[in-house]
Amino acid sequence: MHFTARHGGFMIRRAVIFSVPFLLSAGPLPANANGDAVRGAQKVAACAVCHGAPERPSLPGMPTLAGQQPESLGVQRFCTREGLRVVPPMAGLLKDFTDRDLEDVAAYFSAQKPSPESSKRDQQIYARGAALSRGMGCGSCHLADYRGQRHIPRITGQREDYLALTLRAYRDDKRTGADTSMNAAMYRATDSDIRDLAHYLAQQ
């Protein structure tokens, strides 16, 4: 069972879960991607403190937003502002942002060039992560090169520590939001699976 909520330029479809362990996907999340990167540059000072800027990387454990899909950024910031996602470090930071502000910030970060992962590759862990990714079908939503599409985020080149934290949160049902497909994908993953996946995806 699904219901749809509209707010400004964003449409959120949320799933009502009736049984465990079955997790229902909420399906596509259309969002406007008409932001202005120039306007966004004037609104990102607080965001860049943790998420990085062209001249410096994001803080440890924080996602790199450069090169991210604009719709993914817009939807996640919308969910955070509306309390659909609880992100303690961002509590209150977006309360005065309008939908247009969120679109502009998304446009700014999506226009930035992502920095490659700087950690040294472990070939055995990388190979196990590649096999896991194929078996779990990560490329079916995030695409073969993991650049993402629309509301589905870019994960190639993302910080390895952030990927591991996020995948673990999905597995442990501590992160939800716009849809539950990632919870379904990860709920059987072991800690070593998550380590291997995060290493592989970050190294793309």
Side-chain angles (χ1 to χ4, degrees), residues 120-132 134 192-193 195-197 199-200 203:
K120 184 178 180 180
R121 179 180 298 184
D122 182 304
Q123 287 299 145
Q124 289 187 330
I125 294 177
Y126 181 91
R128 288 195 296 268
L132 282 166
R134 289 193 297 270
S192 61
D193 290 341
R195 177 202 63 187
D196 298 347
L197 271 172
H199 185 71
Y200 167 72
Q203 292 283 337

Side-chain angles (χ1 to χ4, degrees), residues 90-122:
M90 294 182 65
L93 286 179
L94 299 177
K95 64 182 178 63
D96 295 326
F97 277 56
T98 66
D99 286 355
R100 173 57 63 85
D101 292 335
L102 298 181
E103 293 173 354
D104 292 344
V105 169
Y108 169 81
F109 278 113
S110 68
Q112 304 302 309
K113 184 178 180 180
S115 300
E117 172 64 35
S118 59
S119 63
K120 184 178 180 180
R121 179 180 298 184
D122 182 304

Side-chain angles (χ1 to χ4, degrees), residues 38-172:
V38 175
R39 285 198 307 261
Q42 302 170 14
K43 306 168 185 175
V44 298
C47 307
V49 171
C50 294
H51 294 291
E55 67 276 8
R56 58 182 175 78
S58 61
L59 296 180
M62 296 292 171
T64 296
L65 303 186
Q68 187 56 266
Q69 292 288 336
E71 292 187 21
S72 174
L73 288 172
V75 167
Q76 292 304 321
R77 295 300 166 272
F78 172 84
C79 287
T80 301
R81 186 191 68 187
E82 298 300 307
L84 300 173
R85 272 195 66 198
V86 178
V87 185
M90 294 182 65
L93 286 179
L94 299 177
K95 64 182 178 63
D96 295 326
F97 277 56
T98 66
D99 286 355
R100 173 57 63 85
D101 292 335
L102 298 181
E103 293 173 354
D104 292 344
V105 169
Y108 169 81
F109 278 113
S110 68
Q112 304 302 309
K113 184 178 180 180
S115 300
E117 172 64 35
S118 59
S119 63
K120 184 178 180 180
R121 179 180 298 184
D122 182 304
Q123 287 299 145
Q124 289 187 330
I125 294 177
Y126 181 91
R128 288 195 296 268
L132 282 166
S133 179
R134 289 193 297 270
M136 297 174 74
C138 299
S140 63
C141 293
H142 294 278
L143 301 186
D145 59 1
Y146 308 108
R147 72 179 183 273
Q149 56 177 325
R150 300 193 68 193
H151 71 283
I152 298 170
R154 175 192 181 100
I155 51 178
T156 179
Q158 184 55 269
R159 287 190 66 105
E160 185 172 342
D161 55 358
Y162 172 74
L163 286 171
L165 287 169
T166 301
L167 293 174
R168 192 174 296 112
Y170 278 126
R171 181 198 63 186
D172 297 342

Side-chain angles (χ1 to χ4, degrees), residues 12-35:
I12 303 299
R13 297 186 66 216
R14 298 162 68 186
V16 179
I17 310 303
F18 289 101
S19 61
V20 177
F22 298 102
L23 296 172
L24 305 179
S25 170
L29 277 169
N32 285 348
N34 300 319

